[in-house]
Amino acid sequence: MSSQTSTHEFQTETKKLLDIVIHSLYTDRDIFVRELISNGSDALEKMRHESLTKEEVFDAHVPLEITIDLDEKKHTMTITDSGIGMSRAELEINLGTIAHSGSGNFVAELAEAAQKDVSLIGQFGVGFYAAFMAAEKVTVQSRSWDGSEGNEWVSDGTGSFSIAECPGLHRGTRIILELKEDAYEYAEKWKVETIIKQYSAFVPFPIKLEGEVVNTVQALWTRSKSEITDEEYNDFYKFVGNAVDEPHFRLHFSADAPLAINALLFVPKENFENMGFGRVDPGVNLYCQRILIDQHSENILPEWLRFLKGVVDSEDLPLNISRQALQDNALVLKLRKVITKRFLKFLAEEARKDEDNYLDFWNTFGIFLKEGVTSDFEFQKELAALVRFESSRSEDGKPTSLTEYVERMGEGQDTIYYINGPNRAAIESGPYVEMFNKKNIEIIYTMEPIDDFVLNHLGEFDGKKLVSADRADLDLSAAGSEETKQDDEEKLDSEAGDELVSWLKKTLEDKVADVIESKRLVDSPAMIVNPDGFMTSSMERVMAASRMEKGMVPESSKKNLEINLASPLIKQLAGLVKSDESFAAEVAAQIFDNATIQAGLVVDPMAMVERNYKILQKAVGA
Ligand code: ADP
């Protein structure tokens, strides 16, 4: 070993990743070619950007391209790029650790995915380490664009790698793969050419295979729509989105004013966040005059559109803008607004054209639009028209829009109502919908924890207020089709009613803010309502859970208990107060707990069960 050679252990996570790559990934092996070409292309993009912003770069005359040389006799494949290259320190860090944020999770998720469905691996992008799918030994020679001396990195992918000086290199990176015996075919030209055509057709630099350029360098998004075939669009999607399937939607648009924009955006079929892969990185790249300025840009679209894949190109951006300067650049903000509005308009059009297809999209990506409503005030109006919820009038599993709800609203109704619950059946058997059903008023069912926040943030739609049915001040007297005076014959008379209400207030003093005679219960004896017009029970539950997660004590506010003076149980309770007050107090506490559970809120289960047994014992006469 010469004095300039150093040996390094791979980081633990890298070892695990290499182990998966070497031992479990045999199908879809071709992707290693894509991964290495894509790294080369990234390095070339960076080089192109640097040469625009820096005065001097090393080896400025070397053309920006990728070359691939094969040796069938020696069983090697060599991929060379004239990109930015890597210094010694960069070789050690970049090719020894996993840069991916939360790399621990990444490897665990990858291991799981590898067991389930190997085709998912392509989506993960295992990057450089994919080389070990086909090679038993990998040599990386690299020289940075800063002109410092070059180095050679060598490893067999097991425990460690070495780095030694390597004089006389040009700028860029050369990767030499000594192929495994069962991977010799990757030294054959036809094989490699097929893979490049399949996966790397849109790489924006010439790829020379054995001296011959095998791709056509073109920026698809700058071509006219009418000239592009579906197949070209789909191939481009696979390229830009690292995808294996076809997109659900695509939007290709150009504008000259107020800004010059060429954008090609794709909605994938799958939501990877839903599949337990953690938060996805943004998938849209920002270009200026076909030159990549910001890959996976965090600036060009709002965070909640991170599921989109594609390209935005604007000639109006200064070519030499640095990535940091993009963040609060006024032009970028303007671009973001224009593109976001255009995309939301596109979704509205798609929904109009084919609601079922839109619902497929909604079921997969609706959660992102909901995130948009709660985090981004700017696009609320557009988003409000795109949200979908189930309701008492919608079919099971087929949500409806707020626009349709408003169209169905009856005379005298000026409010849109909603109620949260874990599922349709639970909501429909609960107390909150009773009067809505009786009066034939549609009510939206919110079944996801975020939903009440979404509707709360919207506040209103089309001039109609959005109101949760668990609000204490809800007044349904003017709305609906049926006049519903409760039959006074059946009700507890007003004196006995008042007496019971005050007794309950006293008995449940520690638990409730107030006890009120209900004007909207039909069958249920009681229900919990929120005196605070802002919070709903569902929101309180979410916030309590989040406080507990942070190790804090969950806060709960006191609620109002509404009682139904026509309910047989409540009527009997009035009598029981007179004959056996202490037992009546147990029953009252149980009624309160039951209503609390129906509101989706938490009760003390031990105390509740103990009390429940006491009551049952009495009921069976024990
Ligand atoms: P990723 O490309 O997803 O970041 P990789 O494992 O493929 O992950 O590569 C890790 C890092 O190594 C890259 O981010 C890049 O900085 C560096 N790298 C890889 N290949 C090259 C190359 N051909 N030229 C310059 N840098 C490279």
Side-chain angles (χ1 to χ4, degrees):
M1 208 190 278
S2 83
S3 60
Q4 292 90 355
T5 304
S6 56
T7 306
H8 310 262
E9 284 279 301
F10 283 113
Q11 171 204 35
T12 318
E13 292 305 331
T14 314
K15 280 188 196 162
K16 282 188 203 154
L17 175 64
L18 281 166
D19 192 58
I20 298 167
V21 168
I22 292 169
H23 295 110
S24 355
L25 304 184
Y26 285 108
T27 55
D28 254 349
R29 223 186 207 190
D30 292 358
I31 61 157
F32 86 88
V33 181
R34 175 187 75 184
E35 298 287 331
L36 297 182
I37 290 179
S38 139
N39 278 349
S41 175
D42 289 350
L44 286 162
E45 295 273 20
K46 286 178 195 156
M47 191 60 230
R48 183 150 67 175
H49 196 214
E50 290 299 348
S51 55
L52 289 168
T53 48
K54 301 281 182 329
E55 279 179 9
E56 265 192 47
V57 291
F58 174 66
D59 260 356
H61 64 285
V62 179
L64 298 179
E65 62 187 17
I66 293 171
T67 50
I68 302 180
D69 295 301
L70 308 170
D71 190 327
E72 280 196 63
K73 291 213 181 74
K74 289 190 183 145
H75 312 295
T76 59
M77 173 195 252
T78 304
I79 302 182
T80 310
D81 68 71
S82 49
I84 50 164
M86 284 176 272
S87 64
R88 190 180 182 110
E90 284 167 339
L91 274 174
E92 187 182 330
I93 290 288
N94 293 344
L95 308 187
T97 57
I98 302 169
H100 218 276
S101 55
S103 54
N105 277 343
F106 170 73
V107 175
E109 286 161 7
L110 180 75
E112 203 175 298
Q115 283 183 341
K116 267 194 277 189
D117 181 359
V118 194
S119 70
L120 290 173
I121 299 297
Q123 304 270 353
F124 272 96
V126 285
F128 166 76
Y129 302 105
F132 290 98
M133 290 163 84
E136 57 187 18
K137 184 177 164 198
V138 178
T139 302
V140 181
Q141 300 173 337
S142 197
R143 186 166 190 187
S144 168
W145 64 283
D146 65 10
S148 56
E149 272 308 329
N151 292 281
E152 183 176 83
W153 178 105
V154 182
S155 178
D156 64 2
T158 48
S160 61
F161 58 88
S162 66
I163 303 181
E165 277 180 15
C166 183
L169 298 174
H170 273 302
R171 183 197 70 226
T173 303
R174 171 178 298 136
I175 301 172
I176 305 155
L177 308 173
E178 291 173 35
L179 298 166
K180 293 180 189 171
E181 208 174 324
D182 61 359
Y184 282 173
E185 58 177 346
Y186 293 107
E188 292 169 33
K189 190 180 174 198
W190 71 269
K191 174 73 183 174
V192 179
E193 188 168 350
T194 315
I195 301 173
I196 294 172
K197 294 234 150 96
Q198 188 181 353
Y199 291 115
S200 305
F202 294 94
V203 168
F205 300 93
I207 303 174
K208 283 187 185 158
L209 178 62
E210 304 268 73
E212 189 192 330
V213 178
V214 289
N215 63 330
T216 35
V217 178
Q218 57 169 351
L220 190 76
W221 60 92
T222 58
R223 280 171 48 195
S224 142
K225 272 202 253 186
S226 56
E227 289 170 11
I228 308 173
T229 63
D230 283 347
E231 200 184 346
E232 281 178 298
Y233 275 126
N234 288 344
D235 284 347
F236 183 73
Y237 165 66
K238 287 178 195 169
F239 169 72
V240 75
N242 242 2
V244 287
D245 54 358
E246 283 167 15
H248 188 108
F249 286 135
R250 96 174 165 239
L251 168 64
H252 185 184
F253 78 96
S254 309
D256 295 323
L259 292 164
I261 302 171
N262 270 307
L264 180 48
L265 303 176
F266 297 96
V267 175
K269 279 211 174 78
E270 307 285 355
N271 171 359
F272 276 79
E273 287 190 14
N274 247 356
M275 297 166 86
F277 291 158
R279 200 176 174 84
V280 299
D281 291 331
V284 174
N285 303 329
L286 179 60
Y287 285 75
C288 170
Q289 297 171 38
R290 302 173 197 204
I291 294 180
L292 184 65
I293 306 278
D294 193 16
Q295 190 169 29
H296 304 304
S297 180
E298 306 212 335
N299 305 297
I300 195 59
L301 288 170
E303 226 183 318
W304 48 272
L305 286 178
R306 59 188 177 275
F307 62 96
L308 289 180
K309 310 280 183 194
V311 166
V312 170
D313 193 330
S314 174
E315 288 175 21
D316 293 332
L317 283 171
L319 251 181
N320 57 358
I321 190 167
S322 74
R323 219 150 291 152
Q324 292 88 310
L326 284 171
Q327 231 174 52
D328 32 39
N329 179 285
L331 208 65
V332 175
L333 288 175
K334 213 161 149 194
L335 268 175
R336 163 150 95 177
K337 186 168 179 167
V338 171
I339 296 163
T340 304
K341 290 225 170 181
R342 183 65 188 81
F343 177 69
L344 296 179
K345 186 173 149 215
F346 164 80
L347 287 181
E349 286 161 4
E350 289 299 316
R352 220 167 299 132
K353 265 195 273 176
D354 184 348
E355 176 73 13
D356 282 345
N357 191 31
Y358 177 75
L359 284 182
D360 273 350
F361 159 81
W362 172 257
N363 288 333
T364 313
F365 293 104
I367 184 75
F368 289 95
L369 302 195
K370 289 177 185 176
E371 189 184 316
V373 175
T374 57
S375 63
D376 217 335
F377 187 73
E378 200 174 357
F379 307 104
Q380 279 199 349
K381 203 163 156 273
E382 289 82 359
L383 285 166
L386 293 168
V387 296
R388 299 287 184 271
F389 296 100
E390 294 205 23
S391 85
S392 52
R393 300 269 171 87
S394 76
E395 271 173 53
D396 192 2
K398 215 172 166 225
T400 185
S401 68
L402 295 176
T403 313
E404 287 168 316
Y405 180 105
V406 170
E407 279 165 10
R408 285 190 292 257
M409 268 166 64
E411 238 174 89
Q413 185 184 345
D414 58 2
T415 306
I416 301 171
Y417 300 101
Y418 61 94
I419 187 68
N420 184 275
N423 54 55
R424 215 180 155 92
I427 294 173
E428 290 183 339
S429 64
Y432 298 96
V433 299
E434 288 176 1
M435 189 53 82
F436 288 88
N437 288 341
K438 188 158 182 183
K439 300 192 87 173
N440 214 9
I441 303 170
E442 180 168 3
I443 177 164
I444 287 170
Y445 301 160
T446 59
M447 296 185 281
E448 299 294 334
I450 192 179
D451 287 349
D452 283 16
F453 292 92
V454 169
L455 295 175
N456 207 287
H457 268 84
L458 288 179
E460 60 159 59
F461 178 78
D462 197 12
K464 320 280 185 294
K465 269 195 158 168
L466 285 152
V467 171
S468 172
D470 64 9
R471 264 174 70 153
D473 59 358
L474 194 77
D475 180 8
L476 294 176
S477 56
S481 59
E482 197 185 332
E483 205 36 60
T484 48
K485 277 222 159 312
Q486 271 165 330
D487 196 342
D488 283 345
E489 296 273 298
E490 285 182 13
K491 258 174 60 175
L492 212 54
D493 67 58
S494 72
E495 199 182 323
D498 289 350
E499 221 174 287
L500 179 65
V501 166
S502 5
W503 178 81
L504 279 167
K505 258 188 233 181
K506 200 158 65 48
T507 311
L508 299 173
E509 194 171 41
D510 296 342
K511 307 182 178 199
V512 301
D514 204 358
V515 179
I516 301 153
E517 174 189 345
S518 182
K519 294 197 172 54
R520 50 180 158 135
L521 282 170
V522 181
D523 299 314
S524 299
M527 73 177 172
I528 294 288
V529 292
N530 288 283
D532 173 355
F534 172 75
M535 275 286 231
T536 71
S537 296
S538 156
M539 287 161 74
E540 182 170 312
R541 190 171 62 238
V542 173
M543 283 155 104
S546 117
R547 283 181 72 87
M548 293 219 307
E549 234 168 60
K550 292 182 197 133
M552 298 190 281
V553 182
E555 275 174 357
S556 64
S557 59
K558 280 188 181 174
K559 313 276 183 231
N560 289 0
L561 181 70
E562 281 198 10
I563 56 163
N564 178 2
L565 294 185
S567 146
L569 176 62
I570 297 296
K571 287 199 280 191
Q572 287 297 111
L573 181 62
L576 191 64
V577 174
K578 306 258 152 44
S579 61
D580 185 348
E581 190 173 350
S582 78
F583 183 52
E586 302 273 14
V587 173
Q590 188 63 38
I591 290 173
F592 173 78
D593 272 3
N594 288 1
T596 305
I597 292 168
Q598 283 183 311
L601 296 167
V602 185
V603 299
D604 173 357
M606 291 309 164
M608 199 274 260
V609 169
E610 202 182 306
R611 179 190 328 111
N612 191 269
Y613 276 136
K614 258 197 228 166
I615 298 169
L616 287 176
Q617 238 172 34
K618 257 228 157 78
V620 297

